Amino acid sequence: MYRILMLGELSSKIQKRMNRKDRFEFVTTLKRPEGIFVRSAEVPNDLITKDLLVIGRAGAGLNTIDVETCTQNGTMVFNTPGVNSNAVKELVLTSLLNSVRPIEDAAKAVQELNGEDILKQSEEIRNEYIGDELEGKTVGILGLGTIGKQVARACFDLGMDVIGYARQPRNQEYFEQVFHLKDLLPRVDFVVILLPLTEETTHLFDEEAFSLMRKEGVLLNFGRGEVVDNNALLQALDNEQLSTYISDFPSTELLNHPKIKLLPHMGGTTEKALQNGGIVAMRNMRDFLIYGTVRQSANFPDIFLPFTAPTRVTIFYQDYPKIFSKISQKISTHNIDIDILESERCDSYVYTLIDLNEADMAKVKKLTDEIHSLPGVIRLRILRNPNWAPTIYL
């Protein structure tokens, strides 16, 4: 039985669906789990032990997981990009609309009225809440992945001019693409950040970037908080180099500023997104633990192989000359037949699935001990086919 440490909420219905054959135990406290399910919580490095086989992230970002340490440990890390993309897109659109129409202030003002002629009173104050429209304005989308393209398309459909920024060319008819911020910031009324956090994107918005923005510009950050240099941001707002900052990543120094609206990191948090993310994450985790299959991993290559033999050996190892031939020689020496195998590479690592026509676990264990002793082998597992039955000839 695999023990899964839950560092995020998952409905009991999904847990029951995954655990129909009592293969998993879901726990909330455990020092040495075989699997970890997480949404946005930090994964402490002291949980990355030799027992830890997999970390499943329901969501896209991996900044709360030490992926490099996991790789060195042979722990597979995967995420579920795309399952919450519509939720994030709709929150971006909501924020864009709210930035031009003072809906919240207007609604609050109506609640403060008294008397029988509320409609008349409301009409008398409505000129205080005249907003603007998005149609005809220009928006810059920074990051043209799944979410970025959806936001760009939605903005285009609202009648906005769309300029996209990304390192790789994107061939889309509904936006113009540029490759340098200096070619985007002076031209747009709104900037939407949907970039991941990398060395290149950390503090991408610094004093120089803010100096290029329009004074009436609105900056919306739904990528990562550290993409924006908060000190430079506060200075830019005080100097009226932009009008408004909306962020899904609160920080202490940005609280209670009249030109800043902070949201509680709620971009991908809807009932539908949470459910879909949990389902995909648990399905990928189940398939990896039981079959060795890999989907959407950050440090293992994606791989799939139908499991038709009695035994499967999974090997994660550093690639170096002739290591695979040494593995094959070991198998041949032990007189075990290979049914089928599949091997894929990710950076300098290789992940191999080998199905063996051998049900004698003692014999398989002796073989795998020798393979595991080869230089560069980081993680080796023996899996029994849960659906295998020997063929009986009559």
Side-chain angles (χ1 to χ4, degrees):
M1 179 176 289
Y2 295 104
R3 299 168 300 171
I4 312 299
L5 178 62
M6 308 302 291
L7 296 183
E9 293 185 5
L10 185 70
S11 72
S12 57
K13 182 178 180 180
I14 298 176
Q15 292 185 31
K16 289 179 181 177
R17 182 187 303 179
M18 181 176 176
N19 205 25
R20 288 175 180 168
K21 297 185 178 181
D22 296 324
R23 294 169 177 157
F24 306 96
E25 178 185 2
F26 300 99
V27 297
T28 55
T29 56
L30 188 64
K31 291 184 178 180
R32 300 181 69 90
E34 286 78 41
I36 294 176
F37 170 84
V38 63
R39 291 193 185 274
S40 57
E42 190 88 20
V43 178
N45 273 23
D46 58 9
L47 290 175
I48 305 174
T49 69
K50 285 300 179 183
D51 293 329
L52 185 62
L53 301 173
V54 60
I55 299 176
R57 159 81 161 100
L62 294 169
N63 56 304
T64 62
I65 303 170
D66 189 341
V67 178
E68 183 177 352
T69 297
C70 288
T71 303
Q72 295 170 357
N73 190 58
T75 299
M76 196 269 279
V77 178
F78 71 86
N79 57 359
T80 57
V83 296
N84 63 358
S85 58
N86 187 70
V88 177
K89 178 200 76 175
E90 290 188 0
L91 185 59
V92 171
L93 294 176
T94 300
S95 300
L96 282 168
L97 291 165
N98 280 335
S99 72
V100 294
R101 299 295 296 272
I103 297 172
E104 295 176 7
D105 292 340
K108 183 178 179 180
V110 171
Q111 292 295 327
E112 294 174 353
L113 299 175
N114 295 293
E116 298 295 328
D117 55 345
I118 295 297
L119 177 58
K120 182 179 180 181
Q121 292 182 56
S122 299
E123 292 173 344
E124 289 173 352
I125 66 170
R126 66 185 175 188
N127 286 348
E128 301 175 23
Y129 303 99
I130 294 177
D132 208 337
E133 299 181 22
L134 295 177
E135 185 179 18
K137 296 291 194 299
T138 303
V139 61
I141 310 294
L142 275 58
L144 298 173
T146 301
I147 299 172
K149 288 187 287 187
Q150 289 186 14
V151 171
R153 180 64 199 224
C155 289
F156 175 81
D157 289 340
L158 286 171
M160 303 183 76
D161 294 324
V162 183
I163 303 175
Y165 167 89
R167 291 178 300 176
Q168 299 298 324
R170 300 287 193 271
N171 185 21
Q172 300 290 342
E173 61 182 18
Y174 48 85
F175 62 79
E176 171 192 349
Q177 184 173 354
V178 299
F179 300 93
H180 303 283
L181 280 184
K182 63 182 178 63
D183 298 326
L184 179 147
L185 295 179
R187 300 171 55 192
V188 299
D189 305 293
F190 306 89
V191 180
V192 179
I193 300 173
L194 294 167
L195 295 167
L197 185 64
T198 65
E199 289 186 13
E200 292 181 355
T201 63
T202 297
H203 288 184
L204 182 67
F205 273 77
D206 53 13
E207 291 183 13
E208 181 181 358
F210 285 119
S211 70
L212 298 173
M213 290 189 65
R214 294 182 176 180
K215 291 184 177 181
E216 67 278 9
V218 178
L219 178 62
L220 304 94
N221 188 358
F222 291 89
R224 281 292 177 263
E226 294 83 357
V227 174
V228 175
D229 181 340
N230 287 342
N231 291 328
L233 166 69
L234 292 170
Q235 183 178 337
L237 288 169
D238 292 342
N239 294 338
E240 298 185 348
Q241 291 176 297
L242 72 159
S243 68
T244 308
Y245 179 61
I246 301 170
S247 175
D248 203 22
F249 308 97
S251 60
T252 303
E253 64 269 27
L254 302 183
L255 292 173
N256 302 313
H257 194 290
K259 296 180 180 180
I260 295 177
K261 178 179 289 187
L262 299 174
L263 303 176
H265 199 183
M266 58 187 290
T269 308
T270 64
E271 291 292 340
K272 182 179 180 181
L274 290 174
Q275 180 176 346
N276 289 347
I279 290 173
V280 173
M282 297 312 290
R283 182 181 64 213
N284 289 353
M285 184 178 292
R286 176 200 64 196
D287 289 350
F288 176 75
L289 291 173
I290 297 176
Y291 306 113
T293 300
V294 177
R295 298 188 189 93
Q296 299 174 321
S297 177
N299 59 344
F300 276 47
D302 283 8
I303 193 168
F304 172 79
L305 184 67
F307 197 175
T308 57
T311 307
R312 170 169 289 177
V313 174
T314 77
I315 314 170
F316 181 68
Y317 55 95
Q318 288 182 308
D319 194 14
Y320 66 87
K322 298 184 179 180
I323 183 172
F324 188 75
S325 63
K326 292 181 180 180
I327 293 173
S328 299
Q329 289 172 7
K330 295 287 186 185
I331 298 173
S332 177
T333 300
H334 284 265
N335 196 30
I336 296 178
D337 292 333
I338 296 176
D339 180 70
I340 192 172
L341 64 84
E342 186 75 23
S343 190
E344 295 291 347
R345 180 189 176 103
C346 179
D347 297 327
S348 60
Y349 297 92
V350 179
Y351 182 57
T352 299
L353 304 180
I354 305 175
D355 287 1
L356 304 175
N357 286 321
E358 182 58 68
D360 186 339
M361 285 298 108
K363 191 174 180 180
V364 173
K365 182 66 167 55
K366 188 175 180 180
L367 163 66
T368 55
D369 284 346
E370 292 186 16
I371 294 176
H372 207 177
S373 67
L374 292 172
V377 175
I378 299 171
R379 173 84 67 175
L380 185 148
R381 299 171 61 210
I382 303 172
L383 304 177
R384 295 190 181 192
N385 190 337
N387 303 311
W388 182 81
T391 302
I392 300 176
Y393 297 95
L394 299 178

